[in-house]
Amino acid sequence: MIKLTDITFRHKGAKTPVFEDFSLEIQSGEFVVLVGDNGSGKSTLARLIAGVIKPRRGMVAVNDINTKDKKRFFELRQTISIVLQNPENNLLFDKVADDIKFGLLNLRIPKGEHNDRIAAALEKVGLPDFEKRSTYELSFGQKQRVAIAGILAMGTSHIVLDEPTAMLDTDGKREIYDLLWDLNAQGFTIILTTNIESETKKGRIIRLSKKGEVKSEK
């Protein structure tokens, strides 16, 4: 479960908070879509949920791991990770295998497990035998799937995606959503932000207002 309890967050230099005394619960295995106009705080909320940024007050807990608890950082990263909007910001290395391996090294996963984890993750995202491919030669959609593979290789069960289809063409959007729906059917918790609610077709919709509040749910 992901639980946000009375959180307050303000960007550095801002006069007003994006969220104030905001609470939300997401059950494990849910497919949650955060919808809102620019400035509604959906990207900020995604980063708070993933533990990339921390609330000024209140608590964000993922499977009872407080995102502020530095001692449980590695455990948190093996539980939840985020995919950014721009596919090129998700990848750091020239070779696909090296990029996925980076996360495994950071989490101190034994090196003897790396190749099997990488191969299994690429298979799961529909990119088998892509280990030696150059990341610079991939389409934007393929880059997003490699980013998701990197998360899967780490053993992460909760995946946050900040507008993952914003820079993709129609086919790329369909492929990403097909993958996310399939992962959710396998038990992964999926949380994504979008400006285009009609693309999602399924999941729990949470609409945010520009006041940093839940406007409606369905």
Side-chain angles (χ1 to χ4, degrees), residues 64-152:
D64 294 323
I65 304 171
N66 188 332
T67 61
K68 293 180 180 178
D69 189 346
K70 295 180 181 179
K71 293 180 180 179
R72 302 185 73 182
F73 173 79
F74 293 116
E75 188 179 355
L76 177 67
R77 278 293 151 259
Q78 286 185 289
T79 304
I80 191 165
S81 289
I82 190 168
V83 174
L84 303 176
Q85 178 185 124
N86 186 338
E88 295 186 341
N89 291 340
N90 291 310
L91 307 180
L92 300 173
F93 296 91
D94 175 48
K95 297 298 181 185
V96 168
D98 291 339
D99 210 275
I100 298 174
K101 189 181 297 183
F102 182 69
L104 302 179
L105 290 170
N106 280 341
L107 293 182
R108 302 171 185 170
I109 303 295
K111 291 184 179 180
E113 298 181 18
H114 289 187
N115 289 343
D116 287 343
R117 282 177 177 253
I118 292 168
L122 288 171
E123 182 78 32
K124 188 163 284 189
V125 301
L127 299 175
D129 303 320
F130 264 57
E131 287 91 338
K132 295 181 180 180
R133 292 282 295 273
S134 170
T135 55
Y136 299 115
E137 296 174 353
L138 303 180
S139 68
F140 274 7
Q142 288 172 332
K143 288 178 180 179
Q144 287 294 51
R145 283 191 276 163
V146 168
I148 295 170
I151 289 174
L152 297 177

Side-chain angles (χ1 to χ4, degrees), residues 138-189:
L138 303 180
S139 68
F140 274 7
Q142 288 172 332
K143 288 178 180 179
Q144 287 294 51
R145 283 191 276 163
V146 168
I148 295 170
I151 289 174
L152 297 177
M154 293 190 295
T156 306
S157 57
H158 296 62
I159 305 174
V160 181
L161 307 102
D162 188 17
E163 297 193 51
T165 64
M167 302 182 70
L168 306 185
D169 60 20
T170 301
D171 288 340
K173 291 177 189 287
R174 177 183 52 77
E175 290 171 358
I176 291 297
Y177 276 114
D178 284 347
L179 171 59
L180 296 179
W181 295 329
D182 182 59
L183 290 173
N184 181 242
Q186 295 176 44
F188 288 88
T189 304

